Amino acid sequence: VRQMTRELPSVQIALDLPPSLPVVSGEATYVEQILRNLLENAAKYSPAGTSVRVSAEHVDGDVVIAVLDDGPGISASSIDHLFDLFYRDPGMARTVAGSGIGLFICRNLAEAMGGHMVAGRGPNGGARFAFSLPVLSGDEGDSAGDPSR
């Protein structure tokens, strides 16, 4: 997120993280790729000078990481198709460049790590994209730093 803050000066990226979160099962490169794509999309679809919020919370055995933007939001007709390969919202495809591959890849990366991904409208408008990562169980968490496991 720090790196993306420098790369995306058109938006203000704010972090909303609790002081401690449980250790999750995941691949750092995959998590970085998902966050990079979601932040780039948020900047692409949001007016310059607006804010993008990245939050994380522990929910029912998962850590859910969400990216909320102040853009136009997601049309109801597109929500079920956003993660389809090559899908572009018809209204946005005319004004914003893209290939329709990024969210498809993000969903697959989240699922490869045992999580899932969702999209919807933010509570105050804009879009909300979130992905989950499973929390390591007590035994796995205790040995997370043990190279023999």
Side-chain angles (χ1 to χ4, degrees):
V1 171
R2 250 181 259 130
Q3 180 179 347
M4 293 305 294
T5 299
R6 290 187 299 272
E7 292 178 22
L8 302 171
S10 65
V11 293
Q12 301 296 315
I13 301 174
L15 288 172
D16 182 9
L17 305 175
S20 65
L21 287 168
V23 176
V24 296
S25 175
E27 168 59 47
T29 304
Y30 290 2
V31 173
E32 180 180 346
Q33 182 62 43
I34 293 170
L35 278 171
R36 176 175 290 281
N37 185 273
L38 295 180
L39 289 168
E40 286 173 347
N41 281 354
K44 189 183 333 183
Y45 289 96
S46 297
T50 60
S51 66
V52 173
R53 194 180 97 195
V54 178
S55 66
E57 63 181 327
H58 183 197
V59 179
D60 298 329
D62 289 332
V63 170
V64 177
I65 299 124
V67 175
L68 293 96
D69 66 42
D70 290 334
I74 303 166
S75 68
S77 62
S78 288
I79 287 179
D80 292 335
H81 303 287
L82 286 173
F83 299 108
D84 294 348
L85 184 59
F86 302 124
Y87 180 80
R88 301 281 322 278
D89 178 274
M92 289 293 155
R94 289 179 275 247
T95 59
V96 179
S99 63
I101 296 174
L103 292 175
F104 172 81
I105 291 171
C106 288
R107 181 191 65 193
N108 283 284
L109 292 175
E111 290 175 356
M113 294 184 289
H116 64 278
M117 191 154 189
V118 297
R121 292 190 64 80
N124 300 316
R128 179 184 184 273
F129 288 88
F131 66 101
S132 65
L133 297 171
V135 172
L136 287 174
S137 69
D139 290 339
E140 291 170 322
D142 291 341
S143 62
D146 182 353
S148 67
R149 292 207 38 142

